[in-house]
Amino acid sequence: MSIKSFAAKIFAKVVKAQIDSWANNPLKAQEKVFNQLIKQAQHTQFGQDHQFSKIKNQQDFSNLVPVKDYEALKPYIERVKQGEQDILWPGRPIYFAKTSGTTSGAKYIPITKESMPSHIKGARNAILSYINETGNSDFVNGKMIFLQGSPVLQEENGIKVGRLSGIVAHFVPRYLQKNRMPSWEVNCIEDWETKVEAIINETISADMRVFSGIPSWLQMYFERLQERTGKTITEIFPNFNLLIYGGVNFEPYRPKFESLIGKPINSIELFPASEGFFAYQDSQNEKGMLLRLDAGIYYEFIEADSFFEENPERIGIADVALGVNYVMIISTNAGLWAYNLGDTVIFTSLKPYRVLVSGRIKHFTSAFGEHVIAKEVEEALQQAVAKHRVEVSEFSVAPQTNPETGLPYHEWFIEFNKQPDNLTTFAQSIDEALQNQNSYYQDLIQGKILKTLVISPVVENGFQRYMKAIDKLGGQNKLPRLTNDRLLADKLYELKLLETNDE
């Protein structure tokens, strides 16, 4: 065992004890965070506008600070962008993480000197928790790849601006600098397809042991490697033994990844976002990710089923229940207050608090009142894939409300790596699994309001071509699993990316 590997095990044990100290006292940890946030921000413009000086508890906060999305917070952020101080948080941010918005265009998410360390510690502690549990630390001696956005940052009124993954690249610990790949120069390449080829050139002969990134990025990289060599990933990199991923549910990707890699592989799931690093997988044996309750983030939750009501109830972690789909609301030491992140989560454990990301509150299909969510379509597809032994690369679901003939239906756009023997039977299996999870959908099918879902196979690399066509290939962009309109569907037809169309 190398000195570096031995030191990693010792450090992992120390950090695990620190994690246990707050994970075993979750309510106290959240109360401490809440009080610190209110105290530090009470003299900011936002704090004065919302009477922070009168806030003594969560109920006061809920009464005085309504839930806000980015649009509601944008007037404050615009003032920060103009160089004003003490608006959302004392002083000014050190960075803006620029993300792709929808209704609001680009979003500028503040990162402060208090919040930045949390992003770094989240990823670090995820790896150290893995080392402490498994005893596997040999990977620290080899090369690690972190598929990221460009670390080249712009500047607006003295505040550096870039993608979160590019910002984080400036904070890779010194002891990992020699292990990290790709090179700084390759990381700076903006065009994603060019960048992937350059990464392959740098890594194909290296002793790669850890791969990290959004699954769709990693899949593209692995597929290009396989195309070039004709080998599985473990044949190319025999010492590869850890996959780190985040951003989307990995389960729909798992069969394809195991085929590309050539064997099952240990993995760590992360829950990072520009707004904060919220959770990470702390155990290989337990379902869900440990919610970080000591990281300068105060959490509230609203049941997804009641979220669009006029005054839905907001609760803290003390009152959450297992198995309920919640919208996660955050207040942070970056100056986000009662902020609707847009993600929905389900608690899998309350001792300690662990969550699964179940989808996006805006990503659902409910054109007929069924309110199907991402978790349901992902689980339905996963069951059908296992039953029929097929491989799926990517998929998205949209409603078809006005078919040329017959009843309306859900249209599933699926890019297969290995197609089922019978597409109709495969569609029926998905449909039955979806009905078993969603009683509203079941009622619509049995009441003959909807017919069984229809699968429209997407051509090879079709979703990549779609993302490139809308200028969202690479970066932190992810394909929506569900839409409630036909915009994505119509674009796939327009670009002739379906197997029934001529290319």
Side-chain angles (χ1 to χ4, degrees), residues 40-282:
Q40 286 183 265
Q42 64 179 323
H43 298 301
T44 63
Q45 186 63 59
F46 189 94
Q48 293 176 46
D49 291 347
H50 294 82
Q51 303 180 69
F52 274 24
S53 60
K54 295 183 179 181
I55 294 174
K56 306 301 179 186
N57 51 47
Q58 189 266 339
Q59 189 58 55
D60 291 341
F61 183 74
S62 179
N63 292 338
L64 291 168
V65 186
V67 172
K68 299 178 182 294
D69 59 12
Y70 184 82
E71 280 299 307
L73 209 60
K74 192 174 181 180
Y76 290 98
I77 291 176
E78 288 299 318
R79 292 180 63 179
V80 178
K81 285 175 63 180
Q82 294 304 314
E84 292 189 52
Q85 298 196 38
D86 304 330
I87 302 300
L88 288 165
W89 188 255
R92 300 169 66 204
I94 53 175
Y95 297 101
F96 274 121
K98 189 176 181 181
T99 70
S100 299
T102 50
T103 58
S104 56
K107 296 181 180 180
Y108 290 77
I109 306 300
I111 297 176
T112 63
K113 67 180 186 294
E114 291 84 2
S115 70
M116 189 68 231
S118 176
H119 287 277
I120 309 306
K121 285 178 66 177
R124 183 201 73 179
N125 289 1
I127 295 173
L128 291 173
S129 294
Y130 170 80
I131 291 174
N132 184 74
E133 181 186 36
T134 66
N136 175 18
S137 61
D138 290 342
F139 62 84
V140 302
N141 299 309
K143 296 293 186 180
M144 308 177 187
I145 190 168
F146 301 92
L147 294 183
Q148 302 170 315
S150 171
V152 176
L153 306 179
Q154 309 300 317
E155 192 169 300
E156 295 188 23
N157 292 315
I159 301 174
K160 294 185 183 300
V161 179
R163 295 188 181 278
L164 175 65
S165 59
I167 293 169
V168 169
H170 292 261
F171 291 85
V172 175
R174 186 173 297 176
Y175 60 85
L176 288 180
Q177 290 287 1
K178 290 183 179 180
N179 301 67
R180 185 186 73 166
M181 296 189 83
S183 65
W184 186 270
E185 292 74 21
V186 168
N187 245 350
C188 291
I189 297 173
E190 289 288 351
D191 180 75
W192 188 246
E193 290 181 297
T194 304
K195 184 172 186 171
V196 169
E197 292 303 316
I199 292 172
I200 290 173
N201 291 337
E202 282 196 344
T203 59
I204 197 167
S205 299
D207 179 19
M208 304 303 302
R209 302 193 184 188
V210 178
F211 292 97
S212 175
I214 291 174
S216 55
W217 304 2
L218 288 166
Q219 181 176 322
M220 182 176 177
Y221 167 67
F222 286 168
E223 286 174 340
R224 297 285 177 88
L225 273 167
Q226 193 173 64
E227 287 170 9
R228 189 181 294 193
T229 65
K231 299 178 180 179
T232 64
I233 302 306
T234 48
E235 287 173 331
I236 303 169
F237 306 118
N239 292 322
F240 166 39
N241 60 20
L242 181 60
L243 184 73
I244 304 173
Y245 64 89
V248 297
N249 183 0
F250 184 66
E251 290 311 310
Y253 293 94
R254 189 176 295 278
K256 174 61 177 177
F257 268 71
E258 291 185 355
S259 173
L260 287 166
I261 293 168
K263 67 176 183 180
I265 202 84
N266 281 354
S267 60
I268 304 174
E269 182 176 7
L270 310 178
F271 184 8
S274 298
E275 294 85 353
F277 198 119
F278 305 114
Y280 57 81
Q281 182 181 347
D282 66 318

Side-chain angles (χ1 to χ4, degrees), residues 177-448:
Q177 290 287 1
K178 290 183 179 180
N179 301 67
R180 185 186 73 166
M181 296 189 83
S183 65
W184 186 270
E185 292 74 21
V186 168
N187 245 350
C188 291
I189 297 173
E190 289 288 351
D191 180 75
W192 188 246
E193 290 181 297
T194 304
K195 184 172 186 171
V196 169
E197 292 303 316
I199 292 172
I200 290 173
N201 291 337
E202 282 196 344
T203 59
I204 197 167
S205 299
D207 179 19
M208 304 303 302
R209 302 193 184 188
V210 178
F211 292 97
S212 175
I214 291 174
S216 55
W217 304 2
L218 288 166
Q219 181 176 322
M220 182 176 177
Y221 167 67
F222 286 168
E223 286 174 340
R224 297 285 177 88
L225 273 167
Q226 193 173 64
E227 287 170 9
R228 189 181 294 193
T229 65
K231 299 178 180 179
T232 64
I233 302 306
T234 48
E235 287 173 331
I236 303 169
F237 306 118
N239 292 322
F240 166 39
N241 60 20
L242 181 60
L243 184 73
I244 304 173
Y245 64 89
V248 297
N249 183 0
F250 184 66
E251 290 311 310
Y253 293 94
R254 189 176 295 278
K256 174 61 177 177
F257 268 71
E258 291 185 355
S259 173
L260 287 166
I261 293 168
K263 67 176 183 180
I265 202 84
N266 281 354
S267 60
I268 304 174
E269 182 176 7
L270 310 178
F271 184 8
S274 298
E275 294 85 353
F277 198 119
F278 305 114
Y280 57 81
Q281 182 181 347
D282 66 318
S283 172
Q284 294 291 301
N285 302 312
E286 301 292 337
K287 190 176 182 181
M289 295 174 283
L290 183 69
L291 191 64
R292 302 180 69 217
L293 302 176
D294 73 328
I297 303 167
Y298 178 69
Y299 299 92
E300 296 175 281
F301 302 91
I302 299 174
E303 288 192 26
D305 288 346
S306 62
F307 181 76
F308 294 104
E309 295 176 3
E310 188 172 345
N311 290 301
E313 183 183 14
R314 289 157 59 179
I315 59 175
I317 58 166
D319 298 313
V320 298
L322 296 175
V324 178
N325 199 37
Y326 291 107
V327 180
M328 194 165 83
I329 308 299
I330 59 168
S331 298
T332 78
N333 56 8
L336 301 176
W337 299 104
Y339 184 84
N340 174 18
L341 183 69
D343 287 310
T344 56
V345 299
I346 292 174
F347 283 87
T348 60
S349 166
L350 303 182
K351 290 183 179 181
Y353 285 91
R354 292 193 179 98
V355 297
L356 289 175
V357 180
S358 53
R360 300 278 294 170
I361 191 61
K362 291 184 178 180
H363 288 178
F364 60 88
T365 295
S366 194
F368 313 97
E370 66 276 36
H371 205 86
V372 171
I373 63 173
K375 174 180 175 291
E376 292 167 345
V377 299
E378 288 169 345
E379 288 191 4
L381 180 63
Q382 191 177 336
Q383 290 178 33
V385 162
K387 180 178 180 181
H388 293 268
R389 298 183 180 180
V390 305
E391 289 183 7
V392 170
S393 173
E394 191 60 275
F395 75 98
S396 188
V397 181
Q400 175 50 275
T401 57
N402 296 299
E404 291 183 6
T405 59
L407 295 173
Y409 53 88
H410 285 184
E411 187 170 11
W412 285 57
F413 298 94
I414 303 179
E415 184 178 333
F416 292 98
N417 296 116
K418 179 183 176 185
Q419 286 214 18
D421 294 332
N422 187 304
L423 207 59
T424 300
T425 304
F426 183 64
Q428 289 172 343
S429 294
I430 300 175
D431 206 81
E432 289 169 5
L434 188 56
Q435 289 184 55
N436 289 337
Q437 295 179 79
N438 188 305
S439 60
Y440 300 108
Y441 181 72
Q442 184 179 57
D443 289 344
L444 291 167
I445 293 290
Q446 293 183 355
K448 301 196 182 304

